[in-house]
Amino acid sequence: MNTFDGLDSSNELYPNTQPLFSPLKPEELQVLRSQYEKEGEFVGIQTKFNYAWGLIKSPLRQDQQTGVRLLSEIFRLSPERRRECLYYLALGNYKLGNYAEARRYNDLLLDHEPANLQAGSLKELIDDKVAREGLMGVAILSGVAIAAGVVGGMLFRGVGRKR
């Protein structure tokens, strides 16, 4: 089993999300970074997109955050490039744990491309993660409520004995 951020990359249920689990080699990312930095303040949209794509694929949270920020800039400033940003914005937000944002971008893509297999698989991943975390949250709250009831019961019995 090959894991990445707690996810099973060998999961056969989601074969179209394999890019999520395939970071670039450090030297490949460095080529993209060098090109981005070389272009400086006049960086081209394609160069910025390529670098953001590489950052989204990184296992480092800080890289992923930078990748989402760069893609958000492209999405906001270049309407003609929005569609190609949607999947990677959804993917980046998913990896960062921003599931509502991930779902929003992914749903936008699926509205335009309902047959997109990667987006369909990512939707399932997002839904499964939200459901699992929701169940975990309910279990934690239930445990806290039970513990509070036990402690409250002990305190109440202790007050009753002192009388």
Side-chain angles (χ1 to χ4, degrees):
M1 180 167 95
N2 190 12
T3 61
F4 183 82
D5 287 344
L7 301 170
D8 180 1
S9 64
S10 64
N11 191 338
E12 294 174 11
L13 292 174
Y14 309 109
N16 295 309
T17 58
Q18 194 59 32
L20 175 66
F21 307 101
S22 303
L24 297 179
K25 295 177 184 161
E27 56 273 10
E28 293 171 327
L29 184 57
Q30 185 55 47
V31 168
L32 297 174
R33 180 178 286 118
S34 295
Q35 182 63 38
Y36 176 80
E37 291 171 351
K38 185 174 110 179
E39 292 184 25
E41 69 179 88
F42 301 108
V43 66
I45 291 176
Q46 189 61 49
T47 299
K48 186 185 261 190
F49 179 86
N50 292 346
Y51 182 46
W53 167 81
L55 291 169
I56 294 292
K57 293 170 69 68
S58 171
L60 303 176
R61 184 171 180 81
Q62 184 176 1
D63 284 352
Q64 295 165 5
Q65 289 170 328
T66 302
V68 166
R69 182 182 53 77
L70 293 173
L71 284 170
S72 295
E73 289 172 11
I74 295 169
F75 187 82
R76 194 175 56 255
L77 300 173
S78 302
E80 70 281 0
R81 301 297 292 262
R82 286 183 177 156
R83 194 217 50 79
E84 65 187 302
C85 290
L86 288 172
Y87 178 74
Y88 291 102
L89 280 166
L91 190 60
N93 278 291
Y94 174 80
K95 289 176 77 173
L96 291 169
N98 303 331
Y99 304 122
E101 282 295 293
R103 181 179 278 149
R104 186 172 70 88
Y105 285 118
N106 202 57
D107 286 348
L108 280 171
L109 179 56
L110 286 169
D111 286 346
H112 295 287
E113 297 179 18
N116 186 313
L117 295 177
Q118 283 184 314
S121 291
L122 184 55
K123 179 181 180 3
E124 291 176 24
L125 266 177
I126 294 166
D127 291 346
D128 286 353
K129 189 71 166 180
V130 168
R132 271 191 307 221
E133 288 194 3
L135 288 175
M136 191 176 300
V138 168
I140 290 170
L141 287 176
S142 296
V144 168
I146 290 170
V150 169
V151 170
M154 291 170 61
L155 289 174
F156 185 71
R157 268 194 254 155
V159 169
R161 286 186 186 152
K162 288 184 180 180
R163 293 183 186 183

